[in-house]
Structures are given as structure tokens and as C-alpha cells.
């Protein structure tokens, strides 16, 4: 009778351990998704706030390259906004040309027209994606929304935040 009790006890302990691990992984997944969704909502609010309060400088036609003054202005503003929001800020023309970024020189950045969040923003009014940033070398949450200011700006504002804190 004793060996049966011992075996039963061991089986129950193993089952409890497996259930505990499953619960821990499920909770971690729920926490990560909840945190990402909250970040995304906050970032979209910040984009909408920028859309209504930011002073947009005219960027010229879609098919012409932005001037050095425009690149300097939007990069300087992106850097300042990035410090205030604790996020990476990118100003992108409708054709995907980066005209300002808080972390990198827009002259060295690739066209962003095919980025997942930009494609979704053009289609749905807001776009987001989670992916590895080759510029910053870490996983980032990207949120973008189209912004139109007649005669001044027609493009996207994109905010991104590191997911290192969520992943650890």
C-alpha cells in the first residue's frame, strides 16, 4: 500500500508543477499583451496630441527631396518630442521618405513606405507592429498614424518604444 501512496503523491506533485508552469506562462503572455496594448493606446494618444499642437513646416511636394532645413527642423523637433515622451519619434512623408527622427539621421534611413505600421496606417487610419529595430538593435513597438495639414504636411507620425522591459 505504501508504494501506491508514494507513486500517487509523486504523480499529483508532478501534475501540480505542470499546472503551475502552465499558469505562469499564461499569465506572462497575458501581461505582455496587456502591456503592449496599453503602450499602443498611449502612443496613439500622443500622436493625436502632436497632430493638433505641433507646428508643421511645409515639406514641399511628395516627389521632391526635402531640403536640409526641413530635415534639420523635423529631426530637432523629433529629438525634443522623443525626450518628452520617452519614445522614438519619426516624421515620414506620404511617399515613405523619412524627414525627421529622434534616434537616427533621416538622410541615412531607408524609405518607410513598406513598413508594416505605415501600410496599416494608410489602410486603416492607425497601424502598429512589433519587430526588431536594426537601428537600435532591440525589439520595438511601432505605432503610426496619418497626419494631414493642408499645404504643410502630408504623411505620418510614428512613435516607437522599446519592449525590453516587457520581455524581461
Amino acid at each position: 500500500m505504501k508504494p501506491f501512496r508514494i507513486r500517487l503523491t509523486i504523480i499529483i506533485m508532478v501534475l501540480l508543477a505542470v499546472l503551475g508552469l502552465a499558469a505562469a506562462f499564461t499569465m506572462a503572455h497575458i501581461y505582455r499583451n496587456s502591456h503592449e496594448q496599453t503602450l499602443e493606446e498611449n502612443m496613439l494618444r500622443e500622436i493625436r496630441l502632436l497632430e493638433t499642437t505641433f507646428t508643421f513646416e511645409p515639406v514641399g511636394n511628395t516627389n521632391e527631396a526635402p531640403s536640409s532645413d526641413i530635415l534639420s527642423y523635423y529631426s530637432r523637433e523629433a529629438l525634443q518630442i522623443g525626450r518628452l515622451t520617452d519614445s522614438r519619434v519619426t516624421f515620414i512623408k506620404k511617399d515613405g521618405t523619412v524627414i525627421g527622427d529622434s534616434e537616427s539621421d533621416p538622410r541615412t534611413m531607408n524609405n518607410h513606405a513598406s513598413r508594416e505600421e505605415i501600410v496599416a496606417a494608410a489602410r486603416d487610419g492607425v497601424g502598429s507592429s512589433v519587430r526588431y529595430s536594426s537601428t537600435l538593435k532591440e525589439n520595438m513597438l511601432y505605432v503610426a498614424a496619418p497626419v494631414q495639414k493642408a499645404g504643410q504636411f502630408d504623411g505620418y507620425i510614428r512613435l516607437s518604444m522599446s519592449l525590453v522591459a516587457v520581455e524581461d
Side-chain angles (χ1 to χ4, degrees), residues 2 21 36 44 47-48 65 72 83 101 107 110 112 117 125 139 147 153:
K2 259 188 173 177
L21 284 173
E36 283 180 15
L44 183 58
I47 289 172
R48 296 297 180 219
S72 296
R83 287 183 187 140
D101 189 87
R107 292 172 196 89
N110 295 331
H112 282 35
E117 66 277 4
N139 285 331
V147 175
F153 186 82

Side-chain angles (χ1 to χ4, degrees), residues 88-131:
R88 181 179 182 187
V89 180
T90 309
F91 291 98
I92 304 164
K93 287 176 54 174
K94 196 71 151 184
D95 67 357
T97 304
V98 177
I99 59 171
D101 189 87
S102 60
E103 303 286 333
S104 189
D105 182 359
R107 292 172 196 89
T108 63
M109 296 176 73
N110 295 331
N111 188 292
H112 282 35
S114 62
R115 300 287 168 98
E116 184 180 339
E117 66 277 4
I118 299 300
V119 171
R123 183 185 61 236
D124 303 327
V126 65
S128 67
S129 69
V130 174
R131 68 171 184 283

Side-chain angles (χ1 to χ4, degrees), residues 47-58:
I47 289 172
R48 296 297 180 219
L49 183 63
L50 283 172
E51 181 179 17
T52 58
T53 61
F54 183 74
T55 305
F56 291 92
E57 291 291 317

Side-chain angles (χ1 to χ4, degrees), residues 28 31 42 48-49 53 55 77 80 111 135 154 157 160 163:
Y31 169 76
N42 289 339
R48 296 297 180 219
L49 183 63
T53 61
T55 305
E77 294 297 319
Q80 183 178 359
N111 188 292
T135 305
D154 187 15
I157 297 176
S160 55
L163 291 177

Side-chain angles (χ1 to χ4, degrees), residues 21-95:
L21 284 173
F25 282 119
T26 301
M27 291 304 294
H29 181 72
I30 290 170
Y31 169 76
R32 179 187 167 118
N33 288 345
S34 173
H35 191 67
E36 283 180 15
Q37 184 177 3
T38 301
L39 282 175
E40 187 176 327
E41 290 169 359
N42 289 339
M43 291 164 71
L44 183 58
R45 270 196 294 276
E46 290 170 352
I47 289 172
R48 296 297 180 219
L49 183 63
L50 283 172
E51 181 179 17
T52 58
T53 61
F54 183 74
T55 305
F56 291 92
E57 291 291 317
V59 296
N61 294 333
T62 302
N63 53 1
E64 65 184 42
S67 69
S68 291
D69 290 342
I70 289 298
L71 293 176
S72 296
Y73 174 76
Y74 280 99
S75 291
R76 184 175 59 251
E77 294 297 319
L79 183 60
Q80 183 178 359
I81 294 165
R83 287 183 187 140
L84 292 171
T85 61
D86 197 28
S87 61
R88 181 179 182 187
V89 180
T90 309
F91 291 98
I92 304 164
K93 287 176 54 174
K94 196 71 151 184
D95 67 357

